[in-house]
Amino acid sequence: MKRILPAVLLICAILTCAVSAAFVSPDFEGGMISGIWLDGGTLYAADIQNKVVWRVRDGEAAVLAGDRSYRDASGVVFPDYFDAALTEARFAEPWAIVPFLEGWAVSDAGSNTVRYIAGGKVMTAAGKREAGFLDGFCTDARLSRPTGLARDDEGGLYIADTGNGAIRRLDTEGNLTTVRTGLQGPTGLCWHDGALYIAETGRSRILRLEGNKLEVLAGDGGEMDEYGVYGCGYADGPAASALFEHPQGVAVSDDGTVYIADTGNGAVRRLMDGRVSTMAVTSEDDLLLASPQGILVSGNSILVSDSLTGAIMEFDTRIHRFSDVSEKVWYAPSVREALIRGIIDGGSDTFRPNDPMTRMDFVRMLANLQLSLNGSTVINGSFSFTDVGDETPFAAVARWSGDFGIITGKTTGEFAGDEPIQRQQMVAILYRFITISEMDNVPSGDLSAFTDGDRTSRYARDAMVWAVSRGIINGFPDGSLDPFGGATRAQAVKMIVYFMDMYGF
């Protein structure tokens, strides 16, 4: 049975943009797909459940290597280690697959070895069944639960020696050496432009190793706790403050963008221009993306395997373009940034930049901002507005804003989501967001420099002073502030992006 698996770009129920995947993922017969590799039109997949390596051509999967006929009483394939002809060999836990020499290297985590497929046979390239830590020639060397693999420009094979917290390298002559130690459970690897990219699962970080220089690209696992465990979480934003939960896959495109299988969060993340954003995350509506593990770049797409669901998904990596937003207009950079950061939805062909920003759409952007700060936030609540019922399209956002304290409703108790938002309302909402987040919000100065500054409503005066002093909102050439005036969608998006950059979101 063939399945076309949709690549669903979901950030909870707030920002949705479904894209149909062109890649056809066959039925792997209950398999749990880990590492994947695409060679031309042929896909190779390591299956940790069936203990085999699959080859997929024209949508049809066939076993390339491994014998799954040995099963226990419950029907589960028995993990084993046996070198032999392709379909007679046995694997304990095939984890990753990459081209190597004249064939394929497969990390067999369960047998503490790296296997080699070539000439119709499965052989052992490095390690023995007994775990250990020893450099040496081929099977004289020792490994402990090797997982990720990457081939460098010289044909050498980098190995994530997960159990030893090390990076090892197997050269083309069969010699295994140690490249780096002291890591916490490294898994996914990718070689790009002279550097090795590492998913350091134990510390929930993404690393870059070039020569002897090790750089933390993104993630902050904090300090080890009393149980020997580092912190993790789910937050987009500047790379240094972004949070992951035990990522196990990493891939890099030609332009240097880093794509991450954030396994523990059930998410696919992107590191670009020093910022981390979410491309897709698991949801109650679509459970194909539950535990992403393998990830690779293919043209303008990435392929992602999920070890829990057995699915392989394809995601378009191109940034959406609105037909009514020219690259030359003043707000184009802000619209692009808002798309990348998940603040606005790319599901429509048009952005309507000159339309009035409504109360609903502004609060929706702020909810997406909250999700970028803490992806585990539930955008919903119990707050009651007189004009918001369960069937209201933006009900979850409205209730969240009420519970969170950023929208108190009009004097009539209405949310009034379809009404154009006033300039003073926008800054008041942002001011409450900052106040509740316990960040710097002390207003300084006054509004006397504006001809109509004293017209600002009492509830918004401190917020307006704060916003003006920080350049979040500016006056007009005639000296007015126009607190009751509206804002276009383009103006509101530029304000949100400026606000995010000011506070390091």
Side-chain angles (χ1 to χ4, degrees):
M1 174 182 176
K2 298 179 183 177
R3 297 171 294 169
I4 298 181
L5 302 180
V8 183
L9 309 185
L10 288 170
I11 302 181
C12 292
I14 305 306
L15 178 61
T16 62
C17 174
V19 178
S20 295
F23 189 80
V24 178
S25 179
D27 185 350
F28 289 111
E29 302 182 29
M32 298 173 66
I33 304 303
S34 177
I36 52 177
W37 191 269
L38 192 63
D39 184 17
T42 303
L43 179 83
Y44 296 86
D47 185 343
I48 58 179
Q49 177 70 14
N50 285 313
K51 321 297 184 192
V52 298
V53 175
W54 297 92
R55 177 169 55 196
V56 182
R57 290 175 175 167
D58 299 324
E60 298 290 340
V63 173
L64 170 67
D67 181 359
R68 52 192 176 131
S69 62
Y70 294 85
R71 300 173 181 266
D72 63 20
S74 62
V76 176
V77 178
F78 186 75
D80 205 349
Y81 165 61
F82 181 63
D83 286 342
L86 291 180
T87 55
E88 296 176 2
R90 295 194 288 278
F91 293 88
E93 189 183 350
W95 206 94
I97 179 169
V98 297
F100 182 58
L101 298 175
E102 302 300 318
W104 299 91
V106 178
S107 56
D108 192 7
S111 70
N112 303 303
T113 63
V114 173
R115 316 289 285 278
Y116 178 52
I117 300 175
K121 297 180 180 179
V122 176
M123 299 161 273
T124 299
K128 283 189 176 181
R129 192 160 196 169
E130 299 79 16
F133 185 39
L134 181 67
D135 289 344
F137 180 73
C138 292
T139 55
D140 291 333
R142 294 290 184 274
L143 298 157
S144 177
R145 286 198 59 78
T147 54
L149 301 173
R151 185 180 64 174
D152 65 20
D153 299 330
E154 298 176 354
L157 184 70
Y158 282 93
I159 304 164
D161 191 2
T162 308
N164 287 317
I167 303 296
R168 318 286 290 278
R169 184 179 184 272
L170 183 67
D171 68 20
T172 56
E173 302 298 320
N175 299 300
L176 183 73
T177 55
T178 299
V179 175
R180 191 82 183 193
T181 60
L183 303 181
Q184 296 293 321
T187 53
L189 300 180
C190 177
W191 178 265
H192 175 75
D193 196 22
L196 184 70
Y197 292 76
I198 306 165
E200 189 187 17
T201 307
R203 290 196 67 172
S204 296
R205 304 190 302 183
I206 303 301
L207 312 176
R208 183 178 184 270
L209 178 64
E210 185 172 9
N212 293 322
K213 181 182 178 182
L214 185 68
E215 177 186 6
V216 179
L217 294 183
D220 181 8
E223 300 296 326
M224 181 186 295
D225 66 17
E226 58 183 309
Y227 304 104
V229 178
Y230 287 90
C232 54
Y234 185 6
D236 288 341
S241 57
L243 297 176
F244 304 92
E245 185 169 346
H246 305 112
Q248 294 186 24
V250 62
V252 185
S253 63
D254 289 341
D255 66 1
T257 300
V258 181
Y259 298 94
I260 301 138
D262 189 3
T263 312
N265 283 318
V268 179
R269 315 281 290 281
R270 169 168 47 198
L271 170 59
M272 180 171 63
D273 298 330
R275 293 186 63 89
V276 173
S277 59
T278 296
M279 293 182 64
V281 64
T282 188
S283 77
E284 294 180 358
D285 299 320
D286 195 305
L287 298 177
L288 290 177
L289 186 61
S291 184
Q293 190 163 309
I295 186 168
L296 60 87
V297 175
S298 176
N300 291 321
S301 301
I302 54 172
L303 297 182
V304 180
S305 65
D306 195 289
S307 61
L308 185 61
T309 66
I312 297 177
M313 293 153 283
E314 181 179 16
F315 298 89
D316 193 332
T317 59
R318 291 171 293 188
I319 307 302
H320 180 76
R321 290 186 178 180
F322 294 110
S323 61
D324 56 356
V325 178
S326 166
E327 294 184 5
K328 297 180 180 180
V329 297
W330 60 268
Y331 51 82
S334 296
V335 171
R336 183 178 184 273
E337 279 300 308
L339 275 167
I340 293 171
R341 301 181 192 186
I343 302 304
I344 60 175
D345 183 0
S348 173
D349 181 56
T350 59
F351 176 63
R352 298 174 287 111
N354 297 315
D355 284 4
M357 173 59 70
T358 64
R359 288 165 57 88
M360 172 193 69
D361 283 343
F362 191 76
V363 175
R364 191 192 304 270
M365 286 198 300
L366 205 59
N368 289 333
L369 168 56
Q370 173 63 25
L371 284 170
S372 76
L373 301 176
N374 182 357
S376 61
T377 301
V378 175
I379 304 298
N380 211 328
S382 58
F383 197 93
S384 178
F385 293 99
T386 59
D387 59 344
V388 175
D390 291 339
E391 73 287 350
T392 306
F394 52 87
V397 174
R399 288 193 290 258
W400 165 81
S401 70
D403 279 6
F404 200 56
I406 61 172
I407 293 288
T408 57
K410 306 188 77 174
T411 55
T412 56
E414 294 177 325
F415 182 77
D418 293 332
E419 285 189 7
I421 195 167
Q422 297 174 357
R423 285 160 58 84
Q424 65 178 1
Q425 290 172 342
M426 286 195 302
V427 298
I429 289 171
L430 291 177
Y431 186 66
R432 290 172 190 153
F433 183 88
I434 285 295
T435 301
I436 293 167
S437 301
E438 298 182 349
M439 301 185 71
D440 172 32
N441 68 338
V442 179
S444 59
D446 55 45
L447 303 177
S448 60
F450 301 98
T451 59
D452 58 353
D454 59 353
R455 292 186 59 228
T456 304
S457 297
R458 183 178 299 275
Y459 77 87
R461 286 178 187 172
D462 282 349
M464 191 66 82
V465 170
W466 161 81
V468 167
S469 68
R470 287 161 174 78
I472 294 172
I473 197 166
N474 299 301
F476 293 95
D478 64 359
S480 66
L481 188 58
D482 194 17
F484 288 89
T488 66
R489 289 169 56 82
Q491 291 169 337
V493 165
K494 185 174 178 62
M495 175 190 289
I496 283 284
V497 171
Y498 180 85
F499 171 74
M500 292 178 68
D501 288 343
M502 172 172 289
Y503 280 91
F505 293 154

